[in-house]
Amino acid sequence: MSAENRRAAREGETPRVRRRPRDRRAQIAAASAEAFGALGYHGVSMEDIASRLDITSTALYRHYPSKYALFREEALRLSALSAEAVRLPPALASSTAAHQLQHIVDALIAKSITNRRSAALLRWQSRYLEPDDYQILIEHLVRTYAVLGKLLGETRNDLDGADRAVLATAALSVIGSISDHHVSVPARALANLLRSACAAVFEADLPPIRDEPEPVGTSEVPLTFKHELLLKRAIELFHERGYPNVSVEDIATAAGLPASSAVYRFYRGKGDILAAAFRRAADRVSAAIGPAIAESDGPEQALTTLIELYVAGSFEERELTFVYYAEISNVPADDRTVLRNIQRLNVEEWAKLLAGVRPELTAAEARVLVHAALALVVDLGQWLGPDNPICDRSRVTRLMQVILFGRPAA
């Protein structure tokens, strides 16, 4: 019995007879994708999904045998969209590579906007797919990369395979980044903004790949600093396994503590540790804003400094940067509200600086580009490898500048 009919029964009214909609399965899939994207795979139950549709969980099981079956179907549907977008219609078979590339970018953008509320599932929850299903997802992405790389090579013969991979990944990151936030921009204006940012990425001249790997600052914590060591080991575990798959006992063992009870001398629980990690990531960004503005001659110089500091901090704490994006749904509710406010203020400060450089942008459009630039660091590391020299600091810095300014920094 639905919630509405239960209420009617309590109040002595005649329950309404409701016919099952023909598209019930599609409604279930859409509701589940949004729930998984917002709350994470482990944070959603079949009962939660059923309540969003005002049906019983029993009715839900008529369509899907398990939560994983729902999750799998939506994850692979979303990943298949990119493979569909790069499939050219016969009418474009003889057109120029530039025209074909633009058609594909437009198709990818359209699908991203249409699925904006559910695409976070694919970006941050796909690690929970079973191995065979995850392989299908990878095959979809490989097909997408192959077509983009081929067309990029045909439009720019100065690019080698590594450069094509970096630019294709950066463009896909820009397009997919809109699922990470709720900045409201009309669909047509949003499509134009993403199209322009992708064009700037495709035209970017990347710095040469370094012959030797860049030195990375050590972040080892002395064993006597138990508070810091706990936080560092917890972040590493959250990054490796996902927050739901890590226990307090796991964290205690990784930090060399004799028992899990020792963790509670420093933190109230696992959620408190995650919140502390998020505060550290947010504070790293916010603490740099004031000094960068005070020591710069104008908004472009200030924003260029902030980009360099953000890239340096992200490279030194890669696990933290990934966890900051992937695990927000697992932060305790009260802490999550505070952290989202801090994040929003940080983005607004960057956006104000960007508007000073590009006054043609609306405040909302500037925020969209800031979100895209910030997400680039974790996306490149996630899809091309965290220590891959083809996306070193100088290249990531250049691409962040290009996304924000539409060109390298002056």
Side-chain angles (χ1 to χ4, degrees):
M1 183 183 293
S2 70
E4 182 180 346
N5 283 349
R6 287 195 297 270
R7 179 195 60 76
R10 287 196 304 269
E11 298 176 5
E13 299 176 3
T14 301
R16 288 173 52 191
V17 177
R18 294 171 53 180
R19 297 183 182 277
R20 186 184 303 170
R22 293 181 178 179
D23 62 345
R24 172 64 81 195
R25 187 179 176 90
Q27 290 180 354
I28 292 171
S32 67
E34 290 182 17
F36 291 139
L39 303 174
Y41 173 64
H42 290 88
V44 177
S45 67
M46 292 291 267
E47 289 73 19
D48 295 331
I49 297 168
S51 67
R52 287 175 175 240
L53 296 162
D54 196 23
I55 61 175
T56 65
S57 56
T58 301
L60 192 58
Y61 280 109
R62 292 195 196 106
H63 297 274
Y64 292 93
S66 67
K67 183 177 79 168
Y68 181 79
L70 253 173
F71 174 68
R72 175 192 183 279
E73 179 170 303
E74 275 304 287
L76 296 185
R77 181 189 71 83
L78 290 166
S79 69
L81 290 177
S82 63
E84 294 171 8
V86 299
R87 191 176 297 122
L88 288 167
L92 292 181
S94 60
S95 61
T96 64
H99 189 193
Q100 292 177 351
L101 183 60
Q102 188 60 65
H103 172 87
I104 286 172
V105 168
D106 289 343
L108 287 166
I109 290 171
K111 291 182 183 298
S112 181
I113 292 174
T114 300
N115 294 274
R116 182 177 182 182
R117 296 180 63 180
S118 56
L121 177 163
L122 187 63
R123 282 173 66 75
W124 308 116
Q125 302 298 313
S126 59
R127 61 159 73 187
Y128 300 118
L129 285 170
E130 294 177 359
D132 289 346
D133 296 328
Y134 190 76
Q135 184 58 39
I136 295 173
L137 179 149
I138 294 299
E139 290 169 3
H140 290 157
L141 293 178
V142 167
R143 194 176 312 158
T144 304
Y145 275 102
V147 175
L148 284 176
K150 174 178 177 295
L151 293 175
L152 272 170
E154 293 176 6
T155 56
R156 287 188 58 182
N157 56 19
D158 60 314
L159 298 176
D160 60 17
D163 288 356
R164 293 198 298 270
V166 172
L167 297 183
T169 305
L172 291 172
S173 174
V174 168
I175 294 169
S177 67
I178 61 172
S179 67
D180 295 336
H181 58 84
H182 303 288
V183 179
S184 179
V185 176
R188 180 175 296 181
L190 180 58
N192 289 335
L193 184 67
L194 297 176
R195 184 182 299 116
S196 176
C198 288
V201 166
F202 289 150
E203 295 169 4
D205 291 322
L206 296 173
I209 298 173
R210 295 169 60 96
D211 293 331
E212 298 181 1
E214 294 173 308
V216 177
T218 178
S219 56
E220 277 303 310
V221 178
L223 296 179
T224 53
F225 291 10
K226 293 300 183 184
H227 181 276
E228 279 292 306
L229 189 62
L230 271 171
L231 185 58
K232 178 176 174 58
R233 295 293 181 257
I235 292 169
E236 291 170 349
L237 289 173
F238 296 155
H239 173 259
E240 178 185 350
R241 304 181 192 174
Y243 175 85
N245 296 327
V246 177
S247 67
V248 173
E249 290 76 11
D250 294 332
I251 297 170
T253 300
L257 297 180
S260 59
S261 58
V263 174
Y264 298 105
R265 293 167 48 198
F266 306 96
Y267 295 97
R268 291 169 295 180
K270 190 173 72 163
D272 197 35
I273 299 175
L274 184 63
F278 269 73
R279 284 193 294 272
R280 171 158 298 185
D283 289 345
R284 185 183 70 198
V285 178
S286 59
I289 294 173
I293 294 174
E295 297 169 10
S296 301
D297 293 334
E300 181 164 346
Q301 186 179 353
L303 198 47
T304 301
T305 299
L306 289 175
I307 291 170
E308 292 169 353
L309 292 173
Y310 180 79
V311 172
S314 296
F315 270 65
E316 289 172 3
E317 297 185 280
R318 283 190 178 277
E319 294 91 349
L320 176 58
T321 304
F322 178 85
V323 168
Y324 186 70
Y325 274 89
E327 303 292 357
I328 183 64
S329 63
N330 291 306
V331 174
D334 291 343
D335 292 310
R336 187 163 64 243
T337 299
V338 173
L339 288 164
R340 284 203 181 279
N341 287 336
I342 295 172
Q343 182 191 48
R344 186 178 66 252
L345 291 172
N346 288 340
V347 170
E348 287 179 355
E349 290 300 323
W350 279 52
K352 288 176 185 176
L353 293 171
L354 180 57
V357 181
R358 299 180 62 182
E360 76 276 8
L361 296 174
T362 67
E365 289 171 342
R367 291 200 300 274
V368 168
L369 291 180
V370 169
H371 277 291
L374 295 174
L376 177 75
V377 181
V378 68
D379 283 342
L380 286 176
Q382 182 182 9
W383 293 111
L384 297 181
D387 300 313
N388 195 327
I390 70 173
C391 49
D392 63 15
R393 295 188 195 190
S394 64
R395 292 179 147 221
V396 174
T397 299
R398 173 70 57 83
L399 286 168
M400 285 187 71
Q401 294 172 358
V402 166
I403 291 169
L404 291 174
F405 303 142
R407 54 168 173 76

